Amino acid sequence: MYGWIEPFYEATNKAIAPGQVWSDQPIYMPPTHGLKIERVDPEDDTNLSLTVVGRTLDTFNHPPIKSLGIESTEAAVVARTKRNRPVIILGGQTATEVRLRGTTVADIAMVVPVYGADQFDAHTRERMAYYEFTNVFYLPASKEHGFEEGFARLDHVQPVKTAHLTNHRGFRLAPDALDALIEWFMAFTTGRMPDDSLILEYRREQLSSGS
C-alpha cells in the first residue's frame, strides 16, 4: 500500500498496543533443531549431556527433567533468535494463562517480526511491495523514524513476553497501514480476502501500470 497510505508511520509515545514498533528477540519460525538428552546425572539433573539434532523422535527418549520442567513425553527444541529485531505488535494482551489451580494474566503480546529488505535485489523488493508473497507485508523506509526498508514475516508471528519488549522505536504504523497489515495477515492465515480489498485493488493497479 506504499504510495496509497501516507503517512505510513506516525510518531507516538511508548505503549504496548497494536501497531506499535518495538525491538525484541523473536525466534525464527518454525524451529528446525532439537536437543537429544544423552545422559542425566541422577543426583543433579542440571548436569546433562546434550546433542543438537533434528526434530527427531529420539529427542523424547529421556526421563523427566525437573530442572527444565520437561516431562518424559516432552522434548526440547533449539531456535535461533536475533537481538534487537524490530517487531510490530498485533494484539494478544488480553491472553489468560489457564492453570490447574486458577488463572493469571499471560502478560504476552502477539508480534510480527520485521526483516531488512536490503538483502534482496530491486525486483524482489518490488514483488514484496506489490503483495506477490502471501506471507510478506512490505514496509517502506522512513528517514524521519530511522527505519530502513523492510518487510513483516507473517509466517513468523509469535507470542512474546511484554517484559522482553526492550526498546520502543518511537513510532507506530498509521491506522490505515495497521488495517492493511491485519487484512493481509488474516488473508494469509485463513485464506479469506474481502471482495472489496484495497490491497487487491492496489496490486492490480501497480501491475497494470508496469511499475
Side-chain angles (χ1 to χ4, degrees):
M1 301 295 286
Y2 178 55
W4 279 21
I5 296 175
E6 186 62 39
F8 208 90
Y9 313 105
E10 56 187 26
T12 184
N13 294 326
K14 180 169 65 174
I16 298 176
Q20 297 273 348
V21 183
W22 286 76
S23 292
D24 190 58
Q25 300 174 23
I27 64 174
Y28 292 84
M29 298 285 286
T32 57
H33 292 85
L35 283 180
K36 184 178 180 181
I37 300 173
E38 305 280 7
R39 182 183 58 81
V40 182
D41 185 335
E43 302 298 326
D44 178 10
D45 75 357
T46 63
N47 184 9
L48 303 170
S49 176
L50 306 172
T51 303
V52 178
V53 296
R55 297 291 297 274
T56 52
L57 291 178
D58 57 357
T59 59
F60 295 90
N61 295 336
H62 60 79
I65 310 297
K66 185 177 180 180
S67 62
L68 297 178
I70 295 179
E71 299 178 2
S72 58
T73 57
E74 299 175 327
V77 298
V78 179
R80 290 188 301 131
T81 186
K82 186 170 184 178
R83 186 178 181 182
N84 293 328
R85 180 176 296 285
V87 297
I88 302 169
I89 295 178
L90 293 177
Q93 302 95 297
T94 59
T96 299
E97 186 71 43
V98 181
R99 297 174 176 170
L100 293 177
R101 295 191 176 94
T103 63
T104 185
V105 175
D107 191 29
I108 66 159
M110 297 298 297
V111 303
V112 55
V114 174
Y115 296 81
D118 58 354
Q119 58 190 303
F120 301 101
D121 59 26
H123 177 61
T124 302
R125 297 197 300 272
E126 284 184 354
R127 295 172 69 191
M128 292 177 179
Y130 298 164
Y131 296 88
E132 183 171 337
F133 308 115
T134 59
N135 61 319
V136 169
F137 184 84
Y138 178 74
L139 297 165
S142 172
K143 291 184 178 179
E144 176 184 357
H145 302 294
F147 191 67
E148 301 292 335
E149 181 185 33
F151 60 95
R153 279 287 300 267
L154 304 183
D155 53 330
H156 286 194
V157 168
Q158 59 193 269
V160 299
K161 286 290 187 181
T162 54
H164 294 168
L165 296 170
T166 56
N167 178 39
H168 187 256
R169 303 296 292 266
F171 68 100
R172 65 184 177 189
L173 297 188
D176 287 345
L178 177 58
D179 286 346
L181 171 60
I182 292 172
E183 179 182 311
W184 201 234
F185 175 64
M186 292 300 295
F188 168 67
T189 55
T190 68
R192 300 178 181 179
M193 176 68 73
D195 294 334
D196 60 349
S197 168
L198 286 178
I199 290 179
L200 292 184
E201 183 180 342
Y202 175 84
R203 174 169 165 72
R204 284 192 292 267
E205 179 176 295
Q206 297 300 313
L207 292 178
S208 64
S209 68
S211 300

